[in-house]
Amino acid sequence: MSALLLLVTLLCSSVRALYFHIAETERKCFIEEIPDETTVIGNYKVMLYDPNTKGYGEYPRIGMHVEVKDPEDKIILSKLYTSEGRFTFTSHSPGEHFICLYSNSTSWFSGAQLRVYLDIQTGEHTQDYEQVAAKDKLNELQLRVRQLLDQVEQISKEQNYQRYREERFRQTSENTNSRVLWWSIAQTIVLLLTGAWQMRILMYVPKWMRTRVSKGWMVVLAVSAGASGAYYNYFYGKPHDNYKLEHDLVNKTYIVVGASSGIGKETAKELAMRKAKVIMACRNNRKCIEVRRNLVIATKNMEIYCRRLNLEDFNSVREFALKLNTGKGNIEQIDGIVYSAATAESSRQTNKHYIERTFATNHLGPFLLTSLLYDRLRKQSSPVRLVFLNTSDLNLDELNFDDLNSADLTKWLKSPEKARKDAYYQSKLALALFVKSLSEKVKNTNLRVTMVDPGYTRTDLFYRLEAADNRIFFIRWCKSLKRWVYGLVAAQSVSDAVRPVLYALVDEKMEGVNGTFMNSIRSELPWHQLTSDEKILNKLWLTSAKWTETGVHLERLQQDLKKSKFQEKGGTQEVKVRTGWFSWF
């Protein structure tokens, strides 16, 4: 048994981290990413190939030259060692260090091949804790604490190095963006100069040609070309807002409603990149799982979860609120909710509650979800931010209470495009009135309500809202072309549109702000004129509560929560539900 243990020990002692082959005059380099102020130890051993035995053996006369360069290409170590030895150096700047090895021979052995065993250790792995324990007279517990402290220090250095890399990448991106901006400006200038040169040439064309091309039209064409270039430069030469989220969101939890596409998806990605816990509330669970997998790979954040939430299905809203408080989906604290889900149906469709789907998804769903989560959010000691996405381009002066359900089928048959937009804008106006009323009701609480207009954005909702429904092919084709050009030139990307949403959700400047409506560049916007009419606000609130049956769903939610708690404790006591369903009235 002892012989077997000795054999295993000998075999293990001969194992190296890696080995490679080089010729006698060949130079081999390795790149090692090392944080600053980090000790690096390299152990190596050189062996010479013997053609007689067809194996590698030790040859003491062969030396190994080791050269180390820092990221600034400065030599920090250059020394000749024997055939077996150890080299040590300490990094003074973070980044890629080049470790090069080559032999001191000059084909003495007819260009024989060398085998080099190399083991590179960094950070706390360079410490010999047996010697440390013997030197400082540490017991086993003290030695373990010493190891943990060294590991924590090394982790801190690694994190600082990652921040350094991100900062350099950000600087590179900003420099690239600046160059693109100046390039677009240069293109605009060249375009204007070309137009001026063409006008100058046309001034001297023959008379028979001058009568056909008037100078006035040349001026119009030149001005149009210059305006187009300037317009393109404004929208594409720089982003709409230069806000950057620099906050670390560790131990923060956010719910993003409609996170499977568009601005909601980009919001979930930005939050996950800052190490926040993200709950993706999506209607299509299969699509949510696919998006979640891609986000985990892109952000390296495992704290991303999918939860099914169909805003037009009020039972689904109640089940979502229930799962946030029970079972595996239980969340101790919610730091913010983003309501980004919206729809614009091409034809009149109703949900299973016989309510038009656009109005149910865009207004009634957020109303019911907020109502069911209100008591739970109010019990938190930490503040909660509620961010609602809406539009300031509401083409309605009043809310039509007689046709909130968009039940006029004649309008849908006569002009589906106009009926779709009317239903959409009416639902968004109702949402704006609800958000304003909500912000007034939650004053002096831990809730903060903000409404954001991210602007025209290239999302599925944008193209669906601008879709052409005309039956004549040519008119439909022209409208589709107009929509495509408008989306390409005027609409912004989701990466630009998400900036004001993140600002309202996590920025410190918005910590105590409540009841604000802001645009894509974070400027405050005026609320709709109907938000000052208390009668309309109360009427809409009561109508929404009646249509969603908020009282019934709240009672069922409380009953399910209490049943779940009793089941967890093994109790069978009958549950009593309070009759007052809404503490806001």
Side-chain angles (χ1 to χ4, degrees):
M1 185 66 179
S2 59
L4 180 60
L5 291 176
L6 178 61
L7 178 61
V8 172
T9 304
L10 292 175
L11 289 175
C12 292
S13 63
S14 63
V15 174
R16 298 286 178 171
L18 64 91
Y19 70 86
F20 55 92
H21 297 101
I22 59 173
E24 288 185 82
T25 58
E26 186 180 357
R27 182 188 183 98
K28 185 77 72 173
C29 294
F30 297 87
I31 300 176
E32 192 78 16
E33 290 189 351
I34 306 172
D36 58 343
E37 302 301 329
T38 301
T39 302
V40 180
I41 294 179
N43 298 296
Y44 72 92
K45 182 178 181 180
V46 184
M47 303 184 73
L48 177 67
Y49 179 76
D50 188 354
N52 297 324
T53 61
K54 295 183 179 180
Y56 291 89
E58 298 181 2
Y59 199 87
R61 294 181 58 185
I62 298 179
M64 183 61 62
H65 193 94
V66 180
E67 183 178 279
V68 180
K69 293 183 179 180
D70 64 2
E72 299 176 357
D73 204 27
K74 295 181 180 179
I75 298 177
I76 58 178
L77 175 64
S78 181
K79 189 175 180 181
L80 180 63
Y81 294 87
T82 59
S83 60
E84 183 177 3
R86 166 185 292 190
F87 60 89
T88 305
F89 67 92
T90 301
S91 61
H92 300 290
S93 59
E96 296 179 345
H97 289 67
F98 291 82
I99 303 175
C100 300
L101 299 93
Y102 56 93
S103 66
N104 64 338
S105 59
T106 55
S107 300
W108 292 350
F109 305 98
S110 302
Q113 191 178 45
L114 303 177
R115 173 178 288 181
V116 181
Y117 293 90
L118 180 62
D119 181 15
I120 299 177
Q121 299 176 345
T122 60
E124 79 277 5
H125 300 290
T126 60
Q127 295 284 347
D128 188 351
Y129 287 101
E130 293 183 359
Q131 294 183 0
V132 173
K135 180 180 178 181
D136 298 339
K137 297 180 180 180
L138 303 177
N139 56 31
E140 185 177 355
L141 179 59
Q142 292 173 335
L143 181 62
R144 182 56 181 164
V145 172
R146 179 72 171 271
Q147 291 177 341
L148 292 176
L149 291 176
D150 292 341
Q151 291 177 0
V152 170
E153 183 180 1
Q154 184 63 26
I155 291 173
S156 177
K157 291 181 180 179
E158 293 288 346
Q159 290 178 341
N160 293 333
Y161 176 60
Q162 294 300 326
R163 294 191 186 98
Y164 168 76
R165 290 187 60 186
E166 291 179 359
E167 183 179 357
R168 290 192 60 184
F169 179 76
R170 188 181 300 111
Q171 291 176 355
T172 304
S173 301
E174 291 178 353
N175 292 335
T176 304
N177 185 32
S178 177
R179 292 175 182 176
V180 171
L181 171 62
W182 285 109
W183 174 251
S184 60
I185 293 176
Q187 284 182 320
T188 303
I189 295 175
V190 171
L191 184 62
L192 293 175
L193 293 176
T194 304
W197 177 78
Q198 290 178 344
M199 289 181 59
R200 179 180 176 84
I201 295 299
L202 290 174
M203 295 297 181
Y204 300 97
V205 297
K207 293 183 178 180
W208 62 271
M209 186 180 296
R210 194 181 306 171
T211 57
R212 297 184 180 182
V213 184
S214 64
K215 298 179 182 179
W217 280 108
M218 292 298 101
V219 173
V220 171
L221 291 175
V223 172
S224 300
S228 300
Y231 189 75
Y232 179 86
N233 174 66
Y234 175 78
F235 280 101
Y236 284 88
K238 61 179 181 179
H240 288 68
D241 187 11
N242 58 359
Y243 174 75
K244 294 181 180 179
L245 178 59
E246 303 289 350
H247 298 75
D248 189 4
L249 302 178
V250 178
N251 299 326
K252 298 287 186 179
T253 302
Y254 297 95
I255 299 175
V256 182
V257 181
S260 60
S261 63
I263 299 177
K265 176 182 176 181
E266 191 69 18
T267 303
K269 178 182 177 181
E270 292 292 334
L271 295 175
M273 289 177 62
R274 274 73 184 179
K275 306 304 178 184
K277 183 177 181 180
V278 181
I279 308 298
M280 300 174 60
C282 308
R283 179 177 58 181
N284 190 334
N285 199 40
R286 180 179 298 179
K287 184 178 180 181
C288 182
I289 294 174
E290 181 180 353
V291 173
R292 185 255 178 195
R293 181 172 61 249
N294 296 333
L295 291 181
V296 169
I297 296 174
T299 63
K300 296 180 176 59
N301 185 357
M302 296 296 296
E303 292 290 296
I304 306 176
Y305 303 94
C306 285
R307 296 290 182 269
R308 187 180 183 278
L309 173 62
N310 188 0
L311 290 177
E312 71 176 46
D313 185 358
F314 304 145
N315 294 328
S316 174
V317 176
R318 187 184 73 250
E319 292 174 0
F320 175 81
L322 176 64
K323 290 181 179 179
L324 291 179
N325 295 274
T326 59
K328 296 181 179 180
N330 184 21
I331 300 176
E332 296 181 359
Q333 176 178 312
I334 299 175
D335 295 283
I337 304 177
V338 179
Y339 297 83
S340 64
T343 186
E345 300 297 332
S346 58
S347 60
R348 188 182 186 276
Q349 302 179 25
T350 60
N351 60 4
K352 63 181 182 180
H353 308 285
Y354 305 103
I355 300 176
E356 198 271 325
R357 293 180 61 181
T358 301
F359 191 75
T361 302
N362 297 353
H363 168 63
L364 295 180
F367 175 87
L368 179 60
L369 179 61
T370 308
S371 303
L372 297 181
L373 294 179
Y374 176 78
D375 287 338
R376 183 254 168 84
L377 298 177
R378 282 286 291 113
K379 293 178 181 179
Q380 291 186 186
S381 58
S382 59
V384 184
R385 301 190 191 183
L386 306 180
V387 180
F388 295 83
L389 271 64
N390 208 331
T391 176
S392 58
D393 189 17
L394 296 173
N395 300 324
L396 296 175
D397 294 330
E398 60 181 11
L399 194 64
N400 187 3
F401 283 94
D402 297 331
D403 195 25
L404 288 178
N405 207 20
S406 301
D408 189 356
L409 298 180
T410 305
K411 183 190 299 184
W412 286 95
L413 294 174
K414 184 178 180 181
S415 179
E417 184 176 351
K418 185 178 184 302
R420 178 179 65 246
K421 290 186 177 181
D422 289 345
Y424 174 79
Y425 288 124
Q426 182 159 254
S427 66
K428 285 298 184 178
L429 177 57
L431 179 64
L433 299 181
F434 161 65
V435 174
K436 180 61 176 177
S437 183
L438 175 64
S439 64
E440 295 295 329
K441 294 179 182 296
V442 300
K443 283 184 176 180
N444 302 321
T445 68
N446 63 326
L447 272 65
R448 300 292 182 267
V449 179
T450 307
M451 193 166 72
V452 177
D453 177 16
Y456 291 105
T457 310
R458 291 188 292 273
T459 60
D460 294 338
L461 177 63
F462 171 79
Y463 291 110
R464 194 183 308 124
L465 186 63
E466 299 295 332
D469 297 321
N470 199 290
R471 296 181 180 180
I472 301 177
F473 172 77
F474 180 74
I475 297 178
R476 187 170 67 249
W477 182 83
C478 291
K479 289 184 177 180
S480 300
L481 180 62
K482 174 187 174 183
R483 180 191 62 178
W484 181 80
V485 173
Y486 185 71
L488 181 65
V489 176
Q492 60 183 337
S493 63
V494 290
S495 59
D496 291 333
V498 78
R499 291 189 175 100
V501 180
L502 297 175
Y503 177 79
L505 185 65
V506 301
D507 198 275
E508 296 177 353
K509 296 180 181 179
M510 296 293 293
E511 185 173 352
V513 179
N514 179 54
T516 301
F517 184 19
M518 67 175 62
N519 59 9
S520 59
I521 57 175
R522 296 176 286 127
S523 299
E524 189 170 353
L525 293 174
W527 290 85
H528 194 275
Q529 57 186 3
L530 293 180
T531 57
S532 59
D533 193 331
E534 290 293 334
K535 293 183 179 180
I536 293 180
L537 295 180
N538 292 332
K539 184 177 181 180
L540 176 63
W541 192 285
L542 293 173
T543 303
S544 303
K546 180 180 179 181
W547 283 23
T548 58
E549 297 182 339
T550 307
V552 176
H553 287 290
L554 186 60
E555 289 182 358
R556 290 181 181 177
L557 176 63
Q558 293 174 348
Q559 189 173 15
D560 292 339
L561 288 174
K562 292 184 178 181
K563 284 183 178 179
S564 176
K565 292 181 180 179
F566 276 110
Q567 289 176 358
E568 291 177 359
K569 297 179 180 180
T572 58
Q573 183 178 350
E574 184 179 356
V575 180
K576 295 183 179 180
V577 182
R578 64 184 177 91
T579 56
W581 64 271
F582 219 30
S583 59
W584 298 358
F585 289 109

